[in-house]
Structure formats: structure tokens, C-alpha cells
Amino acid sequence: MLIIPAIDLKDGHCVRLKQGLMEESTVFSEDPGAMARHWVDRGGKRLHLVDLNGAFAGKPVNEVAIKSIVSAVGGDIPIQLGGGIRDLETIERYLDSGISYVIIGTAAVKNPGFLHEACYAFPGQIMVGLDAKEGKVAVDGWSKLTGHDVIDLAKKYEDYGVNSIVYTDIGRDGMLTGVNIEATVALAQALTIPVIASGGVTNLDDVRKLCAVANEGIIGTITGRAIYEGTLDFTAAQKLADELS
């Protein structure tokens, strides 16, 4: 079970949002590269980056900060990145720069043909981010709920050849209210590709609960606010996950 630190980028800084609201942001660091190195040095096995400005603008905005993170990590661990990725040229540029996996979110829902092309062009390196509330997918930085069922869409993307699904319960993200285990397990059981949980990880109890269902196909969880505010000791969390997995 991977405990994956999130580095959310806004205006070149590391921030956390509450429920995806840009105006509800807290700056945790003004040096993204140093923050990335911090998590690697504390036992991180993968990093999760989000270009928040990019997610809202529909194009990359924080590329300078992203490059500083890639440089600081130096290829020691894989990096997955999402936010504002809407074309193959952007994917190629990020992968060439040292990003391991690209996460497509809104564009996967609005333009499935693009996702299909991306999976074909970059096999094994495309992940899909599905953000949902009460089983329905949200797009455009969580600002719009669609009528799409999470499991139905995920199955379609699995057929395209995506590497894995990042599943976020947007009702819980940044709220420190615990992971939606039931919904995450239901999604993982419906798929043969791995699922990464996101949203709500608060403490070691949440890590234990996720490890207990790891054999359903859940390979990791993304954590942000909890490790920045100290309700979750990251090193202890990854150590516990290693022991239980």
C-alpha cells in the first residue's frame, strides 16, 4: 500500500484546498522542490502533483514549479501529475521532463477520444482521475456534477488501457473526515486495473482500514492536508502500510 504525499500547486506555491475551492487555500510551502524532497527523504515511494491553476484554466500553469520538483526528486521515485492536461503535446512534454504518470481528469469525461489516443500513444503512463460525489462524476475542478456513474466510466477507461484510476470522494477531500472505504472498494472490485484512493485520509486508523482492503485492488492512497497539518505522521503511515501489506 503506497501512502502518496500530495503536492497541490497554486501560483507556484504548495497549497491545500478545502473541497476543491480555490479561495479556500492554505499555503504550506513556497518551495515546491524542497517540499518534494522532504517527502522523499521521509520514505515516500511516489508523489502526487496537481496543477490547480491548470485544472481551472484547462492548460498547464505551474510548469516551473513542476520542473523544480522533478529536479529535486532526481528520479528517486515515480511522480504522477494531473491538472489542465488536455492534449498529447502536453503529455509528451511532461513525460519527457521526468514525470512518470500523467493523470487525465475532466478531459477524460468530456473528450473520451483524447483519452483513448493518449493511452495508445503513451501505454502504461496514463492514469484517470475520477472525482465523484454520491457516485456521480464531477468535472471542471469539481465545479460541475455530471450524470455519469463512476463505475460505468471507469470500466470504459479500463478498456482503453489506462494504467489505474485515482478515485476522489470530493465530499471528503481536505475535510479530514476519513476515507470513503465502501465506495472505493466497490469501484476496485468492478475493475481489474488498480485504484488509488484519495480524499479524507486523516490518521493511522484510515491507513489500517485501507490496508485491510488492499487485496480488492487498492494499491495506494493520496494524502495531503493530514500530513501537512500533522494529524497523520507520514513516515509512520508508510511504515505501517508496509507492515500490513
Side-chain angles (χ1 to χ4, degrees):
M1 176 70 66
L2 297 169
I3 310 299
I4 307 171
I7 299 179
D8 291 356
L9 300 166
K10 179 187 176 191
D11 306 329
H13 301 149
C14 302
V15 306
R16 285 303 289 164
L17 306 186
K18 276 190 181 177
Q19 295 194 302
L21 299 172
M22 287 291 267
E23 63 272 20
E24 291 282 336
S25 66
T26 306
V27 176
F28 285 106
S29 172
E30 295 186 0
D31 187 341
M35 182 56 71
R37 193 68 236 174
H38 170 85
W39 297 125
V40 175
D41 292 344
R42 274 152 189 78
K45 299 180 180 183
R46 187 185 292 203
L47 291 178
H48 175 78
L49 311 187
V50 182
D51 181 347
L52 290 171
N53 302 99
F56 283 85
K59 60 183 180 181
V61 175
N62 284 288
E63 285 195 74
V64 172
I66 291 162
K67 283 178 182 173
S68 76
I69 289 170
V70 171
S71 176
V73 171
D76 288 350
I77 61 172
I79 300 172
Q80 59 192 48
L81 166 70
I85 297 165
R86 303 284 192 273
D87 57 67
L88 297 179
E89 185 183 331
T90 299
I91 296 172
E92 186 171 31
R93 192 165 70 247
Y94 277 141
L95 294 177
D96 284 348
S97 75
I99 296 295
S100 310
Y101 306 100
V102 165
I103 304 166
I104 300 175
T106 292
V109 181
K110 291 189 166 182
N111 185 2
F114 162 58
L115 177 65
H116 202 269
E117 289 176 1
C119 289
Y120 181 77
F122 309 103
Q125 293 184 287
I126 305 299
M127 302 167 67
V128 167
L130 284 178
D131 307 327
K133 190 171 186 179
E134 295 170 3
K136 299 300 180 186
V137 174
V139 294
D140 294 329
W142 302 354
S143 60
K144 296 174 189 165
L145 268 181
T146 71
H148 294 294
D149 179 82
V150 171
I151 290 176
D152 289 346
L153 269 189
K155 282 182 173 178
K156 182 164 80 168
Y157 300 155
E158 179 177 44
D159 290 342
Y160 289 177
V162 301
N163 172 280
S164 48
I165 302 285
V166 177
Y167 174 66
T168 306
D169 182 326
I170 64 177
R172 301 194 185 209
D173 188 81
M175 301 303 288
L176 304 179
T177 53
V179 181
N180 189 335
I181 297 280
E182 188 180 341
T184 308
V185 167
L187 177 62
Q189 287 177 334
L191 304 172
T192 57
I193 56 172
V195 171
I196 295 173
S198 174
V201 172
T202 308
N203 53 41
L204 290 176
D205 271 348
D206 292 320
V207 175
R208 286 189 189 93
K209 288 173 186 172
L210 279 165
C211 287
V213 294
N215 60 357
E216 301 290 356
I218 301 166
I219 61 162
T221 183
I222 295 162
T223 178
R225 184 171 288 273
I227 55 173
Y228 290 105
E229 293 191 350
T231 66
L232 182 69
D233 179 313
F234 172 73
T235 303
Q238 185 60 69
K239 187 178 176 205
L240 177 65
D242 289 343
E243 289 169 359
L244 295 176
S245 300

